[in-house]
Amino acid sequence: MIVVNLSHWFLSILVWFAVFVTLCKGDPDPIDGFTAVPLNEDNFVLQKPYNVNPSDRYSIKNGVRKLWVYSNDKPFRQDSDTKPRTEIRMKGYDYSDGVWQFEGYGYVPSGTTGVCIMQIFGADNQATSIMLRVYNGQLKYYNTDVIEKNIYNRWFRVNVIHTVGESIIVFINGTQKYVADDQGGSDHYFKFGVYTQEGSSDYMESRWKNVQIYNKY
């Protein structure tokens, strides 16, 4: 009888240990099941006001890409009527099907507002499938739903998964925060930086590091 009781006790310990390990693991990492694509500097194409030098709006130091723009800057091309931007257009991995993911660590200093800091280009009835915008310290889906509060002055991990024809899922610091419907379109690519929107501050800035693209078929 003593042997039986010890066996039950040992089995209970194993069960509780398994539950503890499961709870400690938390949510699955958004990059699980994805494959990273190779990137080099040729994949990071700068778009900045056409009349200034790249170093006037963009810098890279210790792996951190700093991008800034002013609300009275020129557009990125002389023939463009878009608002001022300093963005990185990820080149070489445009896509029209499959499942793709953007990952990066972003930082927005206080005072920056009315700006898009990340987007997926391409949609049926508008230019983009999603925009992540900053308004008064809140990260929003376009200018509507709040995705994350109080993002100023801290690094945060951003993962955006686009299942073409189905959905777009946003993760912040590894936690799923938002799900949006796909917006259609047949040509997509990722962008990040600062792109002026309504109600912008005079000066807008974002910083990025460890940017990666993943895919899954």
Side-chain angles (χ1 to χ4, degrees):
M1 178 64 72
I2 293 176
V3 173
V4 172
N5 287 340
L6 287 175
S7 298
H8 282 298
W9 175 82
F10 184 69
L11 181 61
S12 297
I13 292 295
L14 287 178
V15 170
W16 280 108
F17 180 74
V19 170
F20 175 77
V21 170
T22 300
L23 290 174
C24 287
K25 285 182 178 179
D27 295 332
D29 194 298
I31 67 171
D32 287 350
F34 283 81
T35 301
V37 303
L39 295 176
N40 57 51
E41 280 304 309
D42 291 337
N43 300 113
F44 294 78
V45 177
L46 179 65
Q47 296 180 345
K48 46 79 181 174
Y50 69 81
N51 62 330
V52 300
N53 294 319
S55 59
D56 292 331
R57 297 292 184 271
Y58 177 58
S59 69
I60 307 176
K61 185 177 181 180
N62 298 326
V64 175
R65 301 173 189 272
K66 178 181 174 182
L67 306 99
W68 64 98
V69 76
Y70 296 89
S71 60
N72 62 352
D73 273 339
K74 300 292 186 182
F76 76 109
R77 289 197 318 255
Q78 281 187 282
D79 61 349
S80 174
D81 60 358
T82 59
K83 293 181 178 181
R85 73 180 80 196
T86 304
E87 289 185 301
I88 295 293
R89 187 261 207 242
M90 298 305 296
K91 188 177 180 180
Y93 294 101
D94 294 15
Y95 61 94
S96 58
D97 57 11
V99 185
W100 291 79
Q101 180 172 180
F102 170 91
E103 179 181 58
Y105 288 78
Y107 182 100
V108 179
S110 58
T112 290
T113 192
V115 65
C116 170
I117 63 168
M118 185 270 167
Q119 62 170 293
I120 298 177
F121 180 85
D124 276 339
N125 299 312
Q126 56 190 27
T128 60
S129 289
I130 189 172
M131 277 189 170
L132 301 185
R133 298 185 187 177
V134 175
Y135 291 98
N136 299 316
Q138 295 182 326
L139 186 67
K140 291 189 173 186
Y141 173 76
Y142 290 96
N143 61 355
T144 57
D145 300 331
V146 176
I147 296 173
E148 181 80 356
K149 298 179 179 179
N150 304 320
I151 66 165
Y152 282 154
N153 303 322
R154 64 181 176 94
W155 286 100
F156 52 95
R157 182 187 179 196
V158 180
N159 294 78
V160 181
I161 298 175
H162 187 190
T163 303
V164 178
E166 295 183 19
S167 65
I168 299 173
I169 305 174
V170 180
F171 295 78
I172 302 297
N173 295 327
T175 299
Q176 181 175 311
K177 293 286 186 171
Y178 198 80
V179 180
D181 291 335
D182 181 47
Q183 300 288 339
S186 59
D187 181 26
H188 304 285
Y189 51 82
F190 299 114
K191 301 181 76 177
F192 65 92
V194 277
Y195 179 23
T196 307
Q197 304 299 312
E198 71 279 354
S200 72
S201 48
D202 291 335
Y203 173 83
M204 293 151 276
E205 176 190 321
S206 72
R207 306 169 198 170
W208 293 86
K209 62 183 180 180
N210 301 330
V211 171
Q212 186 57 267
I213 294 175
Y214 303 86
N215 64 11
K216 178 172 65 175
Y217 285 99

